[in-house]
Amino acid sequence: HLDLVESGGGLVQPGGSLRLSCSGSDSTFNDYTIGWFRQVPGKDRKGVSCIAHFGSRYAYEDSVKGRFTIRRHRARNTVDLEMENLKPEDTGVYYCASTANPCSRHYSIEAEEYENWGQGTQVTVSS
């Protein structure tokens, strides 16, 4: 079983920045596609970004493109989501998850494709 732990959430003002981290319990983490998802109360989890296990394929949901950057740090079994110019609509609980399925620019980032999930970290963007 691969354990995933998210960290880095918090309260920031609009226009601020946060860096979220998804840490895997062992090096098999680097063999999986990692996705980031956001969930708000009463709504399904929505895909934000993903990065493939080989690191040459990644994707972003349209509303965060140009503001968020996903990066893999293989030496520490971690994928970061760097968030800049945060907006109130970015508020939610952010989850990372793993899958053996690919991450592709040609398909949406779907929660049903992912099989292993972290516990989530709260991001609140408010003035």
Side-chain angles (χ1 to χ4, degrees):
H1 175 71
L2 176 65
D3 293 321
L4 303 177
V5 178
E6 303 94 335
S7 62
L11 173 63
V12 296
Q13 294 185 351
S17 300
L18 283 174
R19 177 180 292 172
L20 306 184
S21 292
C22 175
S23 180
S25 58
D26 60 63
S27 62
T28 65
F29 176 88
N30 293 326
D31 298 329
Y32 292 92
T33 290
I34 301 297
W36 281 100
F37 298 81
R38 178 178 62 244
Q39 187 169 30
V40 298
K43 302 292 185 180
D44 293 335
R45 294 180 188 183
K46 294 186 176 181
V48 176
S49 184
C50 63
I51 186 166
H53 66 88
F54 47 83
S56 296
R57 297 286 186 272
Y58 46 86
Y60 301 95
E61 192 271 328
D62 286 345
S63 70
V64 309
K65 191 174 180 65
R67 300 188 297 119
F68 291 11
T69 303
I70 191 167
R71 291 191 174 95
R72 187 185 291 271
H73 305 275
R74 293 184 174 273
R76 57 192 296 260
N77 305 324
T78 297
V79 166
D80 289 350
L81 185 68
E82 299 176 3
M83 306 185 294
E84 298 180 341
N85 191 24
L86 283 160
K87 304 176 183 297
E89 54 263 42
D90 297 320
T91 293
V93 178
Y94 282 72
Y95 298 87
C96 68
S98 64
T99 181
N101 298 128
C103 170
S104 174
R105 293 179 290 109
H106 305 293
Y107 299 94
S108 60
I109 304 161
E110 299 288 348
E112 65 184 1
E113 299 289 327
Y114 290 75
E115 57 207 22
N116 195 26
W117 295 81
Q119 82 292 335
T121 186
Q122 176 72 43
V123 172
T124 302
V125 185
S126 177
S127 58

